[in-house]
Amino acid sequence: MSARSKARKRALDVVFAADARNVDPVTLLTEREETGELTPMGEYAEQIVRGVATHYQRIDGLLAEHSQGWELHRMPAVDLAVLRIAAWELLYSDVPGPVIVDEAVELAKSLSTDNSPRFVNGVLGRLMGIAGKLRTAPN
């Protein structure tokens, strides 16, 4: 597993847990680091968590718009966390879109339902198609 794959998994753990506890991901990250509950995550994982938290509303708006027939609150929580991380990467990182989608699908395969990889791939495929335009759009 590559360093970035591990970073995504560590970020997923925080984003997922924050959503389950209904707290800001950065707040949870800080709490875990201060209590020693979390070993240092690494720069990229922290960047993902902070980025998802900063752009939460925009990311969720885009996910809701492109998830065709699925409301965010009805999605499996793991899928939603995977999609939030991948959407942030598509919009705000320099990682190639196909790599982001592949990594997200792999996370969904290993952590979620049998239907999740296909669903994640579809949503992110639609987002990837417009990500170039969205990157230059104001937040």
Side-chain angles (χ1 to χ4, degrees), residues 7-133:
R8 287 180 188 94
K9 174 67 171 83
R10 288 191 293 271
L12 177 65
D13 291 342
V14 173
V15 171
F16 174 83
D19 194 42
R21 290 180 45 190
N22 200 28
V23 298
D24 177 70
V26 175
T27 301
L28 181 60
L29 176 66
T30 303
E31 286 175 9
R32 286 183 170 187
E33 287 174 341
E34 288 174 353
T35 63
E37 182 182 336
L38 182 70
T39 57
M41 291 186 50
E43 185 179 329
Y44 193 65
E46 286 189 32
Q47 185 180 3
I48 292 170
V49 171
R50 293 179 191 288
V52 168
T54 299
H55 301 286
Y56 185 83
Q57 288 184 334
R58 183 175 189 217
I59 289 168
D60 276 10
L62 289 168
L63 292 176
E65 182 180 337
H66 292 90
S67 60
Q68 294 186 344
W70 278 89
E71 295 178 25
L72 298 185
H73 72 276
R74 297 204 58 213
M75 290 179 192
V78 173
D79 293 1
L80 184 54
V82 167
L83 287 168
R84 285 174 173 154
I85 288 167
W88 176 83
E89 282 191 292
L90 284 170
L91 296 171
Y92 301 102
S93 79
D94 61 354
V95 178
V99 172
I100 295 166
V101 174
D102 184 58
E103 291 280 331
V105 168
E106 288 303 314
L107 282 170
K109 278 182 188 176
S110 66
L111 299 171
S112 198
T113 70
D114 290 342
N115 295 326
S116 293
R118 184 169 167 241
F119 174 69
V120 166
N121 187 60
V123 173
L124 294 178
R126 287 186 286 280
L127 277 180
M128 188 171 62
I130 62 167
K133 295 177 201 165

